Amino acid sequence: MFVIFGAAGQVGKVSATVLREAGHAVRAVVRDRQQGEELARIGCEIALADLLDTASVARAIEGAYAVQILCPVPRAHADPAAEMRRMINSSVDALEANPPQRILALSDYGAEHASGTGISTLFHYLETQLKTVDTQLTFLRSAEHMHNWTRMLPLMLARGVLPSLHHPVSKLYPTVAAQDVGVLAAELLLDDRALNVSPRVVSIESEQRVSTFEVARTVGELAGSQVIAREVPRGEWNAMLQAAGLGERYARLIVDLYDAHNAGRIDFEKEVSERYFGATTLAQALAGMLPAVAAVAASR
């Protein structure tokens, strides 16, 4: 049995689908029954779990051969870092009590740093805590997800501007499509070649690095309008993020992350990481996102 946490998400759903298509039994773990309807249709067993509830996590992993664990950043919480650490601790307690043969954790570029990288430090904590579980561990560290641009597309389409925390807008940085992460995660769960290596650290990014300038240009070409990338002055970051609805502590995690990005600290860890490349291009990913965003904008 392969147990996939966060199975309703963009990465987890792909992993569950790949494993089912290969003929494996999959238990898809979601927060509510409605999220599991599509997964049930492809033959997944559905389990409900709350990562803050050790007992529900324990029930979800019962009988598991392998577990794919995702711990999302609770962006709506007043203290996202503290809440995510509680989620990690609760999940690790359940995994320590009944360890599967394999665990694959969805992690982040920069997770090797214990401090100074904002959100990435939470994935450092996830990796550190999981090392206490007696199992074969794989940490799949992915670059910035291309689908994160979905949140900015309405602004780009309406105003023709892409505000950027990446400085300068011409700077190339790694990104990756969520579906490529999901496919690789499933393949790694099935891979027997490195069973004597734990933790196994794997990184994934797209074959081509991109810049914010390129993102704006590509959206403009796809939408048939001009979009300009604009650097947001460093002193305005906090105010902009909080005006967009982010809490003060979540905004601080974002600010610290982009300070680390701009200082060149967020990348794959060359010394320990196996490096993989996703085939999805920026243009392909954005072309997949635009129709839904444009449809919503048109309906208003």
Side-chain angles (χ1 to χ4, degrees), residues 15-27 39 42-45:
S15 296
T17 300
V18 170
L19 290 167
R20 283 295 303 135
E21 288 176 348
H24 297 285
V26 174
R27 182 178 298 143
L39 292 154
I42 65 170
C44 293
E45 176 187 329

Side-chain angles (χ1 to χ4, degrees), residues 52-175:
L52 288 168
D53 179 0
T54 301
S56 72
V57 175
R59 287 191 295 271
I61 66 172
E62 189 173 345
Y65 162 70
V67 171
Q68 180 169 308
I69 189 76
L70 165 69
C71 196
V73 182
R75 55 183 295 170
H77 196 274
D79 191 345
E83 185 75 347
M84 184 166 165
R85 285 192 289 267
R86 283 192 288 269
M87 293 162 68
I88 292 167
N89 292 341
S90 174
S91 302
V92 170
D93 284 347
L95 291 163
E96 282 181 330
N98 185 20
Q101 291 186 42
R102 298 184 180 188
I103 296 174
L104 180 141
L106 297 172
S107 189
D108 201 22
Y109 270 32
E112 69 273 19
H113 300 297
S115 63
T117 58
I119 287 173
S120 288
T121 62
L122 299 176
F123 292 95
H124 176 85
Y125 185 79
L126 171 65
E127 292 187 7
T128 300
Q129 296 306 106
L130 282 171
K131 288 177 182 177
T132 66
V133 182
D134 184 17
T135 187
Q136 197 280 323
L137 283 172
T138 299
F139 299 144
L140 177 52
R141 297 176 181 170
S142 61
E144 184 174 329
H145 283 201
M146 293 175 183
H147 73 257
N148 290 344
W149 292 111
T150 303
R151 295 192 289 268
M152 302 302 297
L153 283 173
L155 179 63
M156 286 189 261
L157 296 175
R159 300 185 185 177
V161 175
L162 171 56
S164 176
L165 305 188
H166 283 290
H167 288 186
V169 294
S170 59
K171 177 176 70 73
L172 296 177
Y173 56 90
T175 62

